[in-house]
Structure formats: structure tokens, C-alpha cells
Amino acid sequence: MANLCVVGLQWGDEGKGKLVDVLSKEYDVVVRYQGGGNAGHTVVVDGRKYVLHLVPSGILRPGCVCVIGNGVVVDPATLVEEIDGLKAQGVRVEENLLISDRAHMVLPYHKIIDKLADTEDGKPRIGTTGRGIGPCYSDKVSRQGIRIGELLDKAEFGKRLREALVQKNRVLTALYGAEPLAFEPLYNEFCGYADRLRPMIRDTVDVLNTYADQGKSILFEGAQAALLDIDYGTYPYATSSNTTTGGVATGAGLPPKSVGHVIGVAKAYTTRVGEGPFPTELQDDLGARLREHGGEFGATTGRPRRCGWFDAVSVRHSTRVCGADSIALTKLDVLGGMGRIRVCVAYRHGSEILKRFPSSCAVLRSVEPVYEEFEGWEEDISQARSVKTLPKAAKDYIRAIEERVGLPVSSIGVGSGREEIIRLPL
């Protein structure tokens, strides 16, 4: 079986976790290759809800090996809390989870700086989750980071932490007027995490390449989405990692040719959390209705998501940079009863019609979406398990998305449960 990458095509929250959970029964290994605790993958199995931030969504499949790759930034406090929460729900974690010794650690000063740096005159500049992701990646790139493998040598970790605190406390006190962090409590706290995580910390680059040599099938799970990619997203309103399929090789330690197939996940409408341009945003009763019907509140932050119509221009851009082979269309059921449904097929910028996704946020803020309208449907489609049982209007809408994005739809989500998905032969 060809290795598969599941990647988001919008601004995140498309339902990647649910799809990975469904597909993971067909794969030996599931790998998270980027992002951090700012991810929020929600999976519903037999009516029970699981929210995953760092642990790959394949953890709900007994016997599936789950790997947190070196491209992920790991907050040990969040990870330990997540492991304990899953265990309390009856999920076996430690036996099936591996953590890359090359993954960088999110430390408390990253989270403090994240929140302080994102505030300007009491208002958010970017709208980060405050989880310390950006500052941790900044330390990684500037070669000041501390990797999780260093927890295995407590003396070396103590030395690195003490050196880091000299610089970080200077930033906290002089630049932000915040209190400095004490070494001893922080050191003792993280030594406790070292004891908990030690059995799971491995050279996952070697592990994954060995699995590949043995012919084991690997499913790569992305966090966030292509429109939040640090290079190809709505910069600077983006995350701090490569969320596209390009992040697989650097974030997992396997060669690019290891990705054999790519499924891009997109909602049947569009949502966004935080600041940044959003051409099809609905700031009216329709937007509020989408938010309410779709349960559009962040799994990580609880923040209400901004909602709008499906944007074929941005999704087409994402499929190109990700090399997507097909689209998993989620939350189609939410559009039931919406009346006429719109799809953005181009942008009007002054006298110019744009059919490409602009790199400039200034341009993207000023565009006017060019819409095509489609008949809606009133039926509840959550019980549909095949395309033929969907209303004609729903089938027409799916076909319209395929034509305007230029890719086939390989699955359709009609509810939050594991079983509420229609998979199509390609």
C-alpha cells in the first residue's frame, strides 16, 4: 500500500483527525510531522469525543504505532496531560506512542513570550493560540532551542536550561516588564516529565526508515492547514511551520518520495480562527448559523471560528502546493437548510479578475469574491452512507466543487462520528 499524507486545504479545523482515524485501520504507522499543541483534532467514536493536540489520531486504533516526528514542537506538560486524559478514557498510549528525540520542546518562557508579543494596545496582532509554538520554532531556527532528547541526560538538560533562562529572563524583564522564571522549579518539573516520557523517546528517524525498509505502510498526519503554511499561507497570519506535504520529509526524516498519495481535507464551507484576511467571510446571520450548526468553536482554544462560503480559489492554490490527489469533503451536513449556497470561483480586485490566490495579504483583504450560486437542500443527510442516497442538490454541489477545484472528491463527511462518512471509489 502506498504511503499517504492527509493535509488540510483551508485554514485548519477541516476534520483531518477524523479522516486519519478512519484511515488508520489500513496503515501500520501514523506520523505527526509538524505543528504543536496548537492543533486540535477531534474524533468521535461510539459517541465518545476525543480531542487530540499532540498525539496522532491513529492512537485510537489498537496496534497502530503512532509517532510524534522531529518537526513537531512538543510541550511536555501538554503531552503528559493528554496521555493521562486518553488513558482515563481507556486508550492505551505508552505502548503505541514514540516521540522523536530531535523534536524541540516548548518551555514556559515560550508561552509567556507568545502571549506578550502577540498583544498590541490590548488587542491581538496575529491571534496566536498562546501555546508558545512560534517562539519555540524561532529558537529552533536561531539554534537556541532545547530538544526533547536532552531530557534523557538531566545534567545536560540542566546546563542548557540554565543558559537559556539567562537570555529569556533578560527578554521577559527588560522588554516586557514580566517576572523572571526561577531555575529550580522549572528544572524539577521537567525532570518529572523526563521520567514519564523516557520510555517513548526514540530516534524516530531510524525507526521510520526501518519501517519503510520493512514495507510497513505509513500515514502522515498534518496539523493546521496549507493556508497557514509559513511559506504558502496568508503570511504573516500563518503558523510557524510548513503545514503542506513539503513538511513531511523535514518533519519525519523520510525522503520526499515516501509520500505516495495525498488527500486534501476541506470543509463544504470555510472557517478561520484568529486574525487575517478571509474573502468569503459571512459577518451576518448566515455566518452565525454556520457557526452554530457546525459547532465551530476551537477544540484547542474554544474561540468561535469565523465562517464563510467555500472558496475554490484558495483551495485550488492549496491542492497545487500540496500535490493533492483528491479531496475529502467534510461537514456537508451542516449546509442542510441553508437555502441557496454560494461558491467563490474568483476574486475581483479593482478592475481585475483574479483566479489565483494572491501572496499579498493587503491584496487579499481588498478583493471581492465572485460567486456562483447553487440550490440548497432541506433534508438531514447525516444518515446517508452512499452518494446515491444524497439529495440531488447535494450531489450537484459536490460535482461543482470537483469541477472548480479540479480534483475528485474521495470522501464526504456527513456527521462527526467515525461511521458518518461516505467513501467513494476513485
mmCIF file of all heavy atoms in Angstrom, residues 16 91 103 107 131 183 195 230 236 242 274 288 306 318 344 369 374 376 393 408:
data_model
loop_
_atom_site.group_PDB
_atom_site.id
_atom_site.type_symbol
_atom_site.label_atom_id
_atom_site.label_comp_id
_atom_site.label_asym_id
_atom_site.label_seq_id
_atom_site.Cartn_x
_atom_site.Cartn_y
_atom_site.Cartn_z
ATOM 1 N N LYS A 16 -9.356 16.754 9.770
ATOM 2 C CA LYS A 16 -8.264 15.835 9.430
ATOM 3 C C LYS A 16 -8.181 14.687 10.415
ATOM 4 O O LYS A 16 -7.908 13.546 10.040
ATOM 5 C CB LYS A 16 -6.933 16.591 9.408
ATOM 6 C CG LYS A 16 -6.865 17.698 8.366
ATOM 7 C CD LYS A 16 -5.540 18.436 8.400
ATOM 8 C CE LYS A 16 -5.330 19.203 9.681
ATOM 9 N NZ LYS A 16 -6.302 20.310 9.865
ATOM 10 N N VAL A 91 -7.847 4.446 26.565
ATOM 11 C CA VAL A 91 -6.974 4.320 25.398
ATOM 12 C C VAL A 91 -5.573 3.928 25.855
ATOM 13 O O VAL A 91 -5.010 4.549 26.760
ATOM 14 C CB VAL A 91 -6.910 5.641 24.602
ATOM 15 C CG1 VAL A 91 -6.002 5.496 23.387
ATOM 16 C CG2 VAL A 91 -8.308 6.067 24.172
ATOM 17 N N ALA A 103 12.760 16.321 18.355
ATOM 18 C CA ALA A 103 11.680 17.310 18.453
ATOM 19 C C ALA A 103 12.041 18.365 19.497
ATOM 20 O O ALA A 103 12.534 18.048 20.574
ATOM 21 C CB ALA A 103 10.368 16.623 18.823
ATOM 22 N N LEU A 107 8.847 25.392 26.181
ATOM 23 C CA LEU A 107 9.052 25.648 27.602
ATOM 24 C C LEU A 107 8.183 26.817 28.053
ATOM 25 O O LEU A 107 7.669 27.568 27.214
ATOM 26 C CB LEU A 107 10.532 25.917 27.876
ATOM 27 C CG LEU A 107 11.366 24.621 27.776
ATOM 28 C CD1 LEU A 107 12.352 24.704 26.642
ATOM 29 C CD2 LEU A 107 12.052 24.311 29.085
ATOM 30 N N ARG A 131 0.185 29.154 22.747
ATOM 31 C CA ARG A 131 0.776 27.892 23.196
ATOM 32 C C ARG A 131 2.300 27.850 23.067
ATOM 33 O O ARG A 131 2.903 26.814 23.291
ATOM 34 C CB ARG A 131 0.168 26.721 22.413
ATOM 35 C CG ARG A 131 -1.344 26.527 22.586
ATOM 36 C CD ARG A 131 -1.688 26.242 24.035
ATOM 37 N NE ARG A 131 -3.106 26.068 24.262
ATOM 38 C CZ ARG A 131 -3.705 24.885 24.407
ATOM 39 N NH1 ARG A 131 -3.001 23.775 24.303
ATOM 40 N NH2 ARG A 131 -4.992 24.818 24.642
ATOM 41 N N PHE A 183 15.032 28.938 38.092
ATOM 42 C CA PHE A 183 15.574 27.711 37.504
ATOM 43 C C PHE A 183 15.071 26.452 38.204
ATOM 44 O O PHE A 183 14.583 25.526 37.546
ATOM 45 C CB PHE A 183 17.113 27.746 37.558
ATOM 46 C CG PHE A 183 17.754 26.421 37.203
ATOM 47 C CD1 PHE A 183 17.885 26.016 35.877
ATOM 48 C CD2 PHE A 183 18.205 25.561 38.204
ATOM 49 C CE1 PHE A 183 18.462 24.800 35.555
ATOM 50 C CE2 PHE A 183 18.779 24.331 37.888
ATOM 51 C CZ PHE A 183 18.909 23.958 36.557
ATOM 52 N N ASP A 195 11.040 11.561 33.350
ATOM 53 C CA ASP A 195 10.783 10.218 33.879
ATOM 54 C C ASP A 195 9.550 9.589 33.230
ATOM 55 O O ASP A 195 9.529 8.383 32.965
ATOM 56 C CB ASP A 195 10.607 10.286 35.394
ATOM 57 C CG ASP A 195 11.891 10.698 36.115
ATOM 58 O OD1 ASP A 195 12.981 10.486 35.546
ATOM 59 O OD2 ASP A 195 11.784 11.255 37.229
ATOM 60 N N ILE A 230 3.848 28.585 6.625
ATOM 61 C CA ILE A 230 4.720 29.739 6.808
ATOM 62 C C ILE A 230 5.187 30.326 5.473
ATOM 63 O O ILE A 230 5.464 31.521 5.378
ATOM 64 C CB ILE A 230 5.931 29.362 7.704
ATOM 65 C CG1 ILE A 230 6.731 30.594 8.125
ATOM 66 C CG2 ILE A 230 6.817 28.339 7.025
ATOM 67 C CD1 ILE A 230 6.002 31.532 9.021
ATOM 68 N N PRO A 236 1.683 37.466 7.228
ATOM 69 C CA PRO A 236 2.203 36.854 8.455
ATOM 70 C C PRO A 236 1.151 36.176 9.318
ATOM 71 O O PRO A 236 1.468 35.704 10.407
ATOM 72 C CB PRO A 236 2.786 38.059 9.185
ATOM 73 C CG PRO A 236 1.842 39.174 8.831
ATOM 74 C CD PRO A 236 1.460 38.920 7.398
ATOM 75 N N ASN A 242 5.956 24.371 8.157
ATOM 76 C CA ASN A 242 5.460 24.002 6.828
ATOM 77 C C ASN A 242 4.365 22.959 6.987
ATOM 78 O O ASN A 242 4.623 21.793 7.255
ATOM 79 C CB ASN A 242 6.594 23.474 5.948
ATOM 80 C CG ASN A 242 7.506 24.580 5.468
ATOM 81 O OD1 ASN A 242 8.695 24.613 5.769
ATOM 82 N ND2 ASN A 242 6.954 25.525 4.718
ATOM 83 N N GLY A 274 -8.761 33.334 14.524
ATOM 84 C CA GLY A 274 -7.721 34.348 14.663
ATOM 85 C C GLY A 274 -7.798 35.411 13.590
ATOM 86 O O GLY A 274 -8.763 35.498 12.820
ATOM 87 N N ALA A 288 -23.412 33.248 11.440
ATOM 88 C CA ALA A 288 -23.726 32.785 12.793
ATOM 89 C C ALA A 288 -24.414 31.429 12.763
ATOM 90 O O ALA A 288 -24.168 30.567 13.620
ATOM 91 C CB ALA A 288 -24.617 33.814 13.492
ATOM 92 N N ARG A 306 -14.541 32.049 12.634
ATOM 93 C CA ARG A 306 -15.147 32.875 11.587
ATOM 94 C C ARG A 306 -15.612 31.932 10.478
ATOM 95 O O ARG A 306 -14.909 30.978 10.138
ATOM 96 C CB ARG A 306 -14.116 33.872 11.074
ATOM 97 C CG ARG A 306 -13.579 34.792 12.145
ATOM 98 C CD ARG A 306 -12.202 35.344 11.832
ATOM 99 N NE ARG A 306 -12.185 36.163 10.637
ATOM 100 C CZ ARG A 306 -11.070 36.597 10.060
ATOM 101 N NH1 ARG A 306 -9.881 36.282 10.537
ATOM 102 N NH2 ARG A 306 -11.144 37.352 8.970
ATOM 103 N N SER A 318 -4.124 25.540 -2.588
ATOM 104 C CA SER A 318 -3.624 24.552 -1.631
ATOM 105 C C SER A 318 -3.387 23.194 -2.271
ATOM 106 O O SER A 318 -2.397 22.516 -1.977
ATOM 107 C CB SER A 318 -4.615 24.407 -0.470
ATOM 108 O OG SER A 318 -4.738 25.618 0.252
ATOM 109 N N CYS A 344 -17.155 30.607 -4.061
ATOM 110 C CA CYS A 344 -16.299 31.636 -4.647
ATOM 111 C C CYS A 344 -15.429 31.018 -5.731
ATOM 112 O O CYS A 344 -14.705 30.049 -5.479
ATOM 113 C CB CYS A 344 -15.420 32.267 -3.566
ATOM 114 S SG CYS A 344 -14.190 33.417 -4.194
ATOM 115 N N PRO A 369 -15.183 38.665 -3.461
ATOM 116 C CA PRO A 369 -15.373 37.340 -4.036
ATOM 117 C C PRO A 369 -16.380 37.343 -5.187
ATOM 118 O O PRO A 369 -17.398 38.042 -5.135
ATOM 119 C CB PRO A 369 -15.894 36.500 -2.857
ATOM 120 C CG PRO A 369 -16.426 37.488 -1.884
ATOM 121 C CD PRO A 369 -15.642 38.749 -2.072
ATOM 122 N N PHE A 374 -25.828 27.925 -6.009
ATOM 123 C CA PHE A 374 -26.365 26.581 -6.230
ATOM 124 C C PHE A 374 -27.570 26.368 -5.325
ATOM 125 O O PHE A 374 -27.672 26.952 -4.243
ATOM 126 C CB PHE A 374 -25.292 25.526 -5.933
ATOM 127 C CG PHE A 374 -24.060 25.686 -6.774
ATOM 128 C CD1 PHE A 374 -23.006 26.490 -6.346
ATOM 129 C CD2 PHE A 374 -23.953 25.074 -8.011
ATOM 130 C CE1 PHE A 374 -21.875 26.670 -7.125
ATOM 131 C CE2 PHE A 374 -22.831 25.242 -8.800
ATOM 132 C CZ PHE A 374 -21.787 26.048 -8.354
ATOM 133 N N GLY A 376 -29.806 24.741 -2.613
ATOM 134 C CA GLY A 376 -29.534 24.012 -1.392
ATOM 135 C C GLY A 376 -30.507 22.854 -1.213
ATOM 136 O O GLY A 376 -31.261 22.508 -2.120
ATOM 137 N N ALA A 393 -29.479 18.091 -5.037
ATOM 138 C CA ALA A 393 -28.784 19.362 -4.857
ATOM 139 C C ALA A 393 -27.428 19.164 -4.181
ATOM 140 O O ALA A 393 -26.452 19.846 -4.511
ATOM 141 C CB ALA A 393 -29.646 20.320 -4.032
ATOM 142 N N PRO A 408 -11.067 15.136 -7.887
ATOM 143 C CA PRO A 408 -12.223 14.352 -7.457
ATOM 144 C C PRO A 408 -12.383 14.376 -5.946
ATOM 145 O O PRO A 408 -11.405 14.541 -5.202
ATOM 146 C CB PRO A 408 -11.881 12.937 -7.943
ATOM 147 C CG PRO A 408 -10.381 12.901 -7.939
ATOM 148 C CD PRO A 408 -9.951 14.280 -8.339
#
